Amino acid sequence: MPRTNRRTRRTLSIWAFALLLAGPSDADLPLEPVGRVATIKTPYSPHWVFVGDALGHRTALIDVEDGRMLGTLDSGFGIPQTLHPTRRSEIYVIETHYSRGSRGERSDVLTIYDKASLAPIAEVAIPPKRALSATPVAHVALSDDDRFAAIFNLTPASSLSIVDLEQRRFVSEIQMPGCSLVYPIGERRFAALCMNGSLLVIRLDDSGREVGKQRSQPFFDPETDPVTEKAARFGDRWLFPSFDGWIHPVDFSGPEPVFEERWSLTSERERADGWKIGGYQHLAVHEKSATLYALMHQGGIDSHKQPGSEVWFYDLTERERTRRVELVNPGFTYLGVPIEGGPTWGWLVDWIGDRVMHAIPDIGVDSIAVTLDDAPRLVTSGMFSGGIASFDALTGEFIGRVFSGNLTNAVIQTASPATPGPR
Amino acid sequence: MPRTNRRTRRTLSIWAFALLLAGPSDADLPLEPVGRVATIKTPYSPHWVFVGDALGHRTALIDVEDGRMLGTLDSGFGIPQTLHPTRRSEIYVIETHYSRGSRGERSDVLTIYDKASLAPIAEVAIPPKRALSATPVAHVALSDDDRFAAIFNLTPASSLSIVDLEQRRFVSEIQMPGCSLVYPIGERRFAALCMNGSLLVIRLDDSGREVGKQRSQPFFDPETDPVTEKAARFGDRWLFPSFDGWIHPVDFSGPEPVFEERWSLTSERERADGWKIGGYQHLAVHEKSATLYALMHQGGIDSHKQPGSEVWFYDLTERERTRRVELVNPGFTYLGVPIEGGPTWGWLVDWIGDRVMHAIPDIGVDSIAVTLDDAPRLVTSGMFSGGIASFDALTGEFIGRVFSGNLTNAVIQTASPATPGPR
Amino acid sequence: MTRIDDWMARAARQLARRTSRRSLLAGLGGALLGGAAIPLLPVSRAFGREPQPGEPDPETPEGQANACEYWRYCSIDGFLSSCCGGTHNSCPPGTSMAPVTWIGTCRNPADGKEYVISYNDCCGKGPCGKCFCRRNEGDKPVYYTPKSNDIDWCMGTDSVVYNSTVAVVVGVAVEKG
Amino acid sequence: MTRIDDWMARAARQLARRTSRRSLLAGLGGALLGGAAIPLLPVSRAFGREPQPGEPDPETPEGQANACEYWRYCSIDGFLSSCCGGTHNSCPPGTSMAPVTWIGTCRNPADGKEYVISYNDCCGKGPCGKCFCRRNEGDKPVYYTPKSNDIDWCMGTDSVVYNSTVAVVVGVAVEKG
């Protein structure tokens, strides 16, 4: 049946219904229409964030200022992957579905949602082979002019699927043997990381077809100190952090990538104390203030997935740490529902939560992101904890906690339509 | 690719892999084949139970003796509905899927699983209109000879879809205006409950087509004291409990249903104290000992969904209560994982869990079921608590807790292939 | 042991004042497990706080459209659309409101009258996960269809997948159903 | 406050001894939230308890195929098939074992040798939900594909949907990767 503004009274007549309705008198509440569906004000507030749910297969749009849920975008199997163009009032969700839930025929699609209605308005079929992993970043990318989406495939042969977002169609698949993931580096270029520690740069023409593919020299040693997939973009540069805390900046402004001198997130003393970068989304950049945020923990070898206990702030111009912020527990949930102590017990609940987060290495913050505006928020979440904590990203001051209603919080995306540039 | 017993060494050659493998020497562990998939011993143990997960969209097969998971059956949207024939080594799962997860084209199917392999071996398409609700019982039924499955549809027009399980095909749809749900009452008959408090009896021929449909006189007043959907079968009788705790037995052994005198689960005094039947699966029968189990709580009006704090045992021959068993907390889980205190803290965790369950009316046991064997187990679970507690169903003695790995435990089904008869 | 006992009893009493099962669970866990709370950001109540004509004071729970205690929710069992991107009478963005519903009769404390409330489900996106609310006044079993809130009322929409529920005033009750 | 403090610290120390994140979470909640435990039914260890030739004592965690501490699981990040209806080297009923995998090198305490372990994912049914185990020894990022346990290795099977993981001995390591 169509979604209309019909009166429920008509609906009721479907039933042989014993209840009599009186017409409203002047003093009664007016009868209300049924069928109304809310829309969202655009442009979005810069303090609205998208939080992807790996178990719930959806992304929630949440206001970190007041905890309000604006709406949700469902996706299929895997950690939700969404793309947020700045030039169209659209959101792209890359989805994998099976005709029988976990079996049957596989369909991979890029669904185009309208930002105001959060309703799907178009769908582009893509080859049913996109890569799925527990790593929430660098699996999909948008060209800097929002024209093309690139989706990383792994079967285990490695390739990119290119979708033309203006024409809303799949245009090509580009093989990239030995290289994986995808990083946007301009209007017609994407980069990938290769197993030998090099970079692959892929160039497209205006129709989205490959016109060039170039492997760089290795710029790190994947055996001794690999960079993580969880890089952050700073203008024309991508900053790749290594397991041991070295930032490898790569400048993509010229025709060839320029590998700048690496610098360390940690002092020798801090390294000796076991301070490392860790978690699932562990680097973020606030472009306007040239600030880098790194999610840090103390851990041993192979602790690169361990959640963080602090976020360290860096001045990217000086390559200097400016602040260490001790994290608070983002707040637990049970089946998506916040576990709260209320006004009376809140202090205790809080105190226990933080104590626990710091005492036990495997509970804490897995993801950080920063909003793009002039009063930026540093947003943190834990995969299994459920809540989202926010901080003033300039001062490090803890602001508060909000809840997404998700079962898991696997990825945070910040998006500000007013701010073109890196995503 | 086919599922074969190939050696991984061959798989490895896909990769340009730096690691050298030495052939095993005599003293080394032998190399092992890959591709092996376990199967389940049949017939199943009578103490294995199926536990359906409303959020996880699957049913787990769990041994309540040692907590072992035997395997899982995925389903689609809604509380899983499974059927367990005694004459075939099969399980039927009624599933609803959308081509895009929560949107797109709807497909409803009855999937036939092999009991030993838990693999789907056939699929029967049914009209995409089966009823979905938070009530876990009486939505699907199996004829007593396992020949036909009946699936309740609600669009909101009400009907049954009949599937021939020998020929593995959908055979007919039977309209039943004003009546809902489905209860098996023989080889070629199903019953439904009607809005005016009467019963509908539907007769099929050997091809699964309707040959008769008869409405009874009302046997209860749905306005003042409705019976719940959560009836239990005792031989040829169905026992329908009312909100106020009256059992309405209906004998289906003859051509027409015979409405026997109602009897009360509670004394006048207990009714005055607010003792009521409640929860989502609140009645169970152990046929051999003629014992009825009712999930009871103290609550006010409209508390019919409130979880139970006790199970009351009744001798069905004498219609007399024989025992009151205070329930324990079935055990909490977080995202399917048991929350345990370990040997040191277990007592405290337990103590708190029980204290909480009894202090707060909305936390407790939602479902009970009893195994069919001579050493029966009373099995209890809570939708949101996560664990499963079992009791000796003859003595009421608490035996222990096990965990299903489910996000929610929405329905328990006991099945013993050695015991034909009511399901 | 007496101290823990006492503390438990107090916590339980406090928690028992809340209404919905999931918020109870939340509170329960909160008192015992650890997590949220101070400073918990102010959650916007309803959309706007000005008193609406004929509605209760929005500063009281009976007047807050995203509180389980809101007067119109007397018969509900589900997620509140008003916490999920919609309002008390409009569905969250991108969902569809089902045209067929179950019906409750709730008393508006602002005028003392009984109103007929239509609980339309919002459909086509998965469960919202916020503000689960279960009150069940007058709820009947599934066979008493028009008053049964257990049914997934996503019928007559493109998808049966349930997201949340609204509470629409569709009449004044002159006789209780 | 000192008593609570002390209790927390002890609980935390005890819990920190466990290995997997989810069992930690479980333990954490357990110590604080309430639920399970006594009498907790004995969970069958591996399938059978007789010592297997060349395998560690099945009474020790390193020898129990459904303990996260089992020696072969040194590089795992996922659900243990042995807790999900399968065994350490066979998949749960109705799933398919993926033929392509990631690889770890684990030391067998029974003979002190390093073995090459193939972590094949079991596919085609949703996440098992029991015995989540994360150890990550030698785990590399996604671009270092054959040693990356974050990847959903359900490839070459009919479905990419991940259920659990087995640990198969496929060789003796003569050089560390």
Side-chain angles (χ1 to χ4, degrees):
Chain A
M1 277 186 229
R3 195 170 78 212
T4 60
N5 247 16
R6 73 187 64 195
R7 295 248 154 203
T8 304
R9 197 182 286 233
R10 180 172 160 168
T11 302
L12 293 181
S13 68
I14 292 173
W15 305 106
F17 193 66
L19 196 129
L20 297 176
L21 301 177
S25 70
D26 281 354
D28 295 336
L29 274 179
L31 305 195
E32 295 167 346
V34 297
R36 286 204 296 210
V37 176
T39 55
I40 303 180
K41 212 177 56 174
T42 56
Y44 287 2
S45 153
H47 289 180
W48 294 356
V49 303
F50 291 93
V51 187
D53 185 348
L55 266 184
H57 299 165
R58 67 115 179 245
T59 299
L61 178 59
I62 301 291
D63 187 332
V64 295
E65 292 304 313
D66 63 6
R68 197 156 47 106
M69 171 185 277
L70 284 308
T72 57
L73 297 164
D74 283 358
S75 47
F77 181 73
I79 292 179
Q81 298 286 351
T82 61
L83 290 168
H84 303 275
T86 57
R87 286 162 187 76
R88 292 182 208 101
S89 190
E90 296 175 350
I91 301 165
Y92 310 117
V93 182
I94 290 77
E95 309 179 21
T96 294
H97 299 285
Y98 282 89
S99 57
R100 295 294 178 264
S102 52
R103 64 183 198 280
E105 197 192 341
R106 176 173 174 177
S107 311
D108 285 13
V109 293
L110 180 153
T111 305
I112 301 175
Y113 281 89
D114 177 74
K115 272 182 97 158
S117 72
L118 292 190
I121 50 178
E123 176 181 294
V124 179
I126 55 176
K129 50 179 165 180
R130 75 177 177 109
L132 289 153
S133 84
T135 300
V137 299
H139 281 52
V140 297
L142 207 53
S143 67
D144 282 1
D145 62 352
D146 295 336
R147 173 76 189 273
F148 295 108
I151 295 116
F152 167 46
N153 301 317
L154 188 69
T155 67
S158 184
S159 65
L160 290 185
S161 290
I162 306 293
V163 171
D164 185 330
L165 296 164
E166 264 175 26
Q167 299 190 20
R168 296 182 175 173
R169 63 187 189 91
F170 165 71
V171 286
S172 69
E173 183 180 348
I174 300 168
Q175 303 303 320
M176 44 181 204
C179 305
S180 292
L181 306 164
V182 58
Y183 302 89
I185 54 168
E187 300 203 342
R188 295 290 171 270
R189 295 196 308 168
F190 293 101
L193 280 171
C194 308
M195 193 168 149
N196 69 344
S198 68
L199 271 171
L200 180 72
V201 172
I202 289 167
R203 281 189 300 124
L204 307 180
D205 63 17
D206 284 346
S207 71
R209 275 163 221 289
E210 173 192 335
V211 291
K213 204 154 58 179
Q214 202 160 2
R215 273 288 267 271
S216 74
Q217 289 300 308
F219 69 102
F220 67 93
D221 183 348
E223 296 294 341
T224 57
D225 185 29
V227 302
T228 78
E229 314 89 333
K230 297 123 184 150
R233 187 172 179 179
F234 176 49
D236 290 324
R237 283 177 183 78
W238 277 93
L239 310 175
F240 292 95
S242 77
F243 280 20
D244 287 347
W246 293 92
I247 295 289
H248 296 258
V250 185
D251 182 349
F252 290 100
S253 59
E256 314 248 319
V258 174
F259 300 101
E260 300 180 344
E261 201 181 348
R262 68 176 198 171
W263 56 279
S264 181
L265 294 171
T266 49
S267 68
E268 216 157 304
R269 172 67 187 271
E270 289 157 354
R271 277 196 294 282
D273 287 348
W275 282 102
K276 286 182 159 58
I277 196 163
Y280 272 91
Q281 196 183 353
H282 53 206
L283 212 58
V285 165
H286 184 246
E287 188 94 18
K288 291 183 184 173
S289 63
T291 308
L292 177 73
Y293 304 85
L295 179 61
M296 307 296 289
H297 69 278
Q298 282 181 286
I301 193 167
D302 296 317
S303 73
H304 50 282
K305 292 188 201 170
Q306 189 170 310
S309 56
E310 297 189 7
V311 170
W312 293 4
F313 293 24
Y314 298 85
D315 177 337
L316 277 172
T317 318
E318 304 295 330
R319 297 181 170 184
E320 249 178 33
R321 188 175 64 212
T322 54
R323 202 178 288 277
R324 281 173 67 158
V325 171
E326 201 172 337
L327 294 174
V328 299
N329 190 290
F332 289 107
T333 58
Y334 180 76
L335 295 177
V337 176
I339 293 168
E340 298 172 40
T344 311
W345 297 103
W347 65 271
L348 176 62
V349 160
D350 241 32
W351 182 87
I352 294 175
D354 287 344
R355 195 56 63 110
V356 155
M357 190 181 89
H358 290 108
I360 301 179
D362 250 347
I363 303 221
V365 168
D366 294 304
S367 290
I368 61 170
V370 65
T371 66
L372 308 184
D373 57 318
D374 291 333
R377 295 287 181 256
L378 174 69
V379 185
T380 72
S381 72
M383 180 72 157
F384 295 125
S385 77
I388 296 163
S390 68
F391 299 79
D392 184 312
L394 301 178
T395 67
E397 189 200 350
F398 173 52
I399 294 174
R401 297 178 177 91
V402 299
F403 295 89
S404 64
N406 287 350
L407 295 171
T408 60
N409 291 325
V411 57
I412 310 169
Q413 278 185 293
T414 54
S416 165
T419 314
R423 275 152 306 265
Chain B
M1 275 186 229
R3 195 169 79 210
T4 60
N5 246 17
R6 72 186 68 197
R7 295 245 155 204
T8 303
R9 198 182 285 231
R10 184 177 157 160
T11 301
L12 294 181
S13 68
I14 292 175
W15 305 109
F17 193 65
L19 196 128
L20 297 178
L21 300 178
S25 71
D26 280 354
D28 295 337
L29 273 180
L31 305 195
E32 295 167 345
V34 298
R36 288 203 295 210
V37 176
T39 54
I40 303 180
K41 212 177 55 174
T42 56
Y44 287 2
S45 154
H47 290 180
W48 294 357
V49 302
F50 291 93
V51 187
D53 186 347
L55 267 184
H57 298 166
R58 67 116 180 245
T59 299
L61 178 58
I62 301 292
D63 186 334
V64 296
E65 291 304 312
D66 62 7
R68 196 157 45 108
M69 171 185 276
L70 283 307
T72 57
L73 297 165
D74 283 359
S75 47
F77 181 74
I79 293 179
Q81 299 285 353
T82 61
L83 290 169
H84 303 275
T86 57
R87 286 161 186 79
R88 292 183 207 100
S89 190
E90 296 176 348
I91 301 166
Y92 310 117
V93 182
I94 290 78
E95 310 180 19
T96 294
H97 298 286
Y98 282 88
S99 58
R100 295 293 178 266
S102 52
R103 64 183 198 280
E105 198 191 340
R106 176 174 175 176
S107 310
D108 285 14
V109 294
L110 180 152
T111 304
I112 301 175
Y113 281 88
D114 178 73
K115 270 182 99 160
S117 72
L118 291 191
I121 51 179
E123 177 181 294
V124 179
I126 55 176
K129 49 179 165 179
R130 75 176 177 113
L132 289 152
S133 84
T135 300
V137 299
H139 281 53
V140 297
L142 207 53
S143 66
D144 282 359
D145 61 351
D146 295 337
R147 171 77 190 272
F148 295 108
I151 296 116
F152 167 46
N153 301 317
L154 188 69
T155 67
S158 184
S159 65
L160 290 186
S161 291
I162 306 292
V163 171
D164 184 329
L165 295 165
E166 266 176 25
Q167 301 191 18
R168 296 182 175 172
R169 63 186 189 93
F170 165 72
V171 286
S172 69
E173 182 179 347
I174 299 170
Q175 302 303 320
M176 44 181 203
C179 305
S180 292
L181 306 164
V182 59
Y183 302 88
I185 53 168
E187 301 203 343
R188 294 291 171 270
R189 295 195 308 167
F190 293 100
L193 279 172
C194 308
M195 193 167 149
N196 70 342
S198 67
L199 273 171
L200 180 71
V201 172
I202 290 167
R203 280 190 300 123
L204 307 181
D205 64 17
D206 284 345
S207 70
R209 275 164 222 289
E210 173 192 336
V211 291
K213 205 155 58 179
Q214 201 161 2
R215 272 288 266 272
S216 74
Q217 289 301 309
F219 68 103
F220 65 93
D221 182 347
E223 295 294 340
T224 57
D225 185 29
V227 302
T228 78
E229 314 90 331
K230 295 121 186 155
R233 188 173 178 178
F234 176 50
D236 289 325
R237 283 177 184 78
W238 276 93
L239 310 176
F240 293 95
S242 77
F243 280 19
D244 287 346
W246 293 92
I247 296 288
H248 296 259
V250 184
D251 181 349
F252 290 100
S253 58
E256 314 249 317
V258 174
F259 301 101
E260 300 179 344
E261 200 180 349
R262 68 177 197 172
W263 57 279
S264 182
L265 294 170
T266 48
S267 67
E268 215 157 305
R269 172 67 187 272
E270 287 157 355
R271 277 197 295 282
D273 286 348
W275 282 102
K276 286 182 159 57
I277 195 163
Y280 272 93
Q281 196 183 351
H282 54 208
L283 213 58
V285 165
H286 185 246
E287 188 94 17
K288 291 182 184 174
S289 63
T291 309
L292 176 74
Y293 304 86
L295 180 60
M296 307 296 288
H297 70 277
Q298 282 181 286
I301 192 168
D302 296 318
S303 72
H304 50 283
K305 292 189 200 169
Q306 190 170 309
S309 56
E310 298 189 7
V311 171
W312 293 4
F313 294 23
Y314 299 84
D315 177 337
L316 276 172
T317 318
E318 304 294 331
R319 297 182 171 182
E320 250 179 31
R321 189 175 64 212
T322 53
R323 203 177 286 277
R324 280 173 67 159
V325 172
E326 202 172 335
L327 293 173
V328 300
N329 190 290
F332 288 107
T333 58
Y334 180 75
L335 295 177
V337 177
I339 293 169
E340 298 172 40
T344 311
W345 297 104
W347 66 271
L348 177 62
V349 161
D350 242 31
W351 182 87
I352 294 175
D354 288 344
R355 194 58 61 113
V356 155
M357 190 181 88
H358 290 108
I360 301 178
D362 251 346
I363 303 224
V365 168
D366 294 304
S367 290
I368 61 170
V370 66
T371 66
L372 308 184
D373 57 317
D374 290 333
R377 296 287 181 256
L378 174 70
V379 185
T380 72
S381 72
M383 179 71 158
F384 295 125
S385 77
I388 296 163
S390 68
F391 299 79
D392 184 311
L394 301 178
T395 67
E397 189 200 349
F398 173 52
I399 294 175
R401 297 181 177 88
V402 300
F403 295 89
S404 64
N406 287 350
L407 296 171
T408 59
N409 292 325
V411 58
I412 310 170
Q413 278 184 291
T414 55
S416 165
T419 313
R423 278 149 302 262
Chain C
M1 201 51 71
T2 339
R3 267 178 62 195
I4 298 183
D5 208 307
D6 194 51
W7 179 73
M8 281 298 304
R10 260 184 304 140
R13 268 199 304 278
Q14 189 210 350
L15 294 165
R17 275 183 227 121
R18 306 198 191 180
T19 314
S20 92
R21 155 186 288 213
R22 298 235 318 195
S23 78
L24 269 170
L25 254 185
L28 152 75
L32 303 171
L33 170 52
I38 290 182
L40 190 70
L41 291 169
V43 170
S44 68
R45 313 189 197 163
F47 284 15
R49 288 195 187 197
E50 324 71 65
Q52 299 292 315
E55 288 277 346
D57 179 356
E59 296 296 323
T60 63
E62 293 80 10
Q64 289 170 22
N66 51 10
C68 190
E69 295 82 0
Y70 183 51
W71 70 275
R72 297 188 184 193
Y73 297 151
C74 73
S75 192
I76 216 166
D77 184 359
F79 296 106
L80 304 180
S81 169
S82 49
C83 296
C84 305
T87 68
H88 60 290
N89 63 10
S90 70
C91 280
T95 65
S96 316
M97 191 185 291
V100 283
T101 71
W102 87 96
I103 296 293
T105 308
C106 303
R107 187 180 164 281
N108 179 358
D111 61 12
K113 290 184 182 156
E114 304 273 344
Y115 287 88
V116 179
I117 307 294
S118 168
Y119 297 99
N120 300 64
D121 282 346
C122 304
C123 313
K125 290 179 187 270
C128 156
K130 299 197 80 165
C131 299
F132 185 86
C133 173
R134 168 181 283 178
R135 286 174 57 185
N136 288 338
E137 289 177 26
D139 169 62
K140 299 267 188 190
V142 167
Y143 59 84
Y144 203 101
T145 315
K147 301 208 97 181
S148 175
N149 68 19
D150 266 359
I151 293 171
D152 177 351
W153 279 102
C154 288
M155 303 175 194
T157 50
D158 287 339
S159 167
V160 78
V161 174
Y162 170 79
N163 174 266
S164 57
T165 304
V166 297
V168 180
V169 169
V170 295
V172 181
V174 291
E175 182 192 334
K176 284 211 78 169
Chain D
M1 200 51 71
T2 338
R3 268 178 62 193
I4 299 182
D5 207 308
D6 193 53
W7 178 73
M8 282 297 305
R10 261 182 304 140
R13 268 197 307 279
Q14 188 210 350
L15 294 164
R17 274 181 228 125
R18 307 199 191 179
T19 312
S20 93
R21 156 186 286 212
R22 296 234 320 194
S23 76
L24 270 169
L25 254 186
L28 153 74
L32 303 170
L33 169 51
I38 292 182
L40 190 69
L41 291 169
V43 169
S44 67
R45 313 187 197 164
F47 284 15
R49 288 193 188 197
E50 325 71 65
Q52 298 293 314
E55 287 277 345
D57 179 356
E59 296 295 324
T60 65
E62 292 80 11
Q64 289 171 21
N66 52 8
C68 189
E69 295 82 1
Y70 184 50
W71 70 275
R72 298 186 184 196
Y73 297 150
C74 74
S75 192
I76 217 166
D77 183 359
F79 296 106
L80 305 180
S81 170
S82 49
C83 296
C84 305
T87 68
H88 61 290
N89 62 9
S90 70
C91 279
T95 65
S96 317
M97 191 184 290
V100 283
T101 71
W102 86 95
I103 296 293
T105 308
C106 303
R107 189 179 162 281
N108 179 359
D111 61 13
K113 290 184 182 155
E114 304 272 343
Y115 287 89
V116 180
I117 307 294
S118 168
Y119 297 100
N120 300 64
D121 282 346
C122 305
C123 312
K125 290 179 188 270
C128 156
K130 298 197 83 165
C131 298
F132 186 86
C133 173
R134 170 180 284 177
R135 286 174 57 186
N136 287 338
E137 289 177 27
D139 169 62
K140 300 267 190 193
V142 167
Y143 59 84
Y144 203 100
T145 314
K147 303 208 94 182
S148 176
N149 68 18
D150 266 358
I151 293 171
D152 176 351
W153 279 102
C154 288
M155 303 176 195
T157 51
D158 287 339
S159 168
V160 78
V161 173
Y162 169 78
N163 174 265
S164 57
T165 304
V166 297
V168 181
V169 169
V170 295
V172 182
V174 291
E175 182 191 334
K176 285 211 76 169

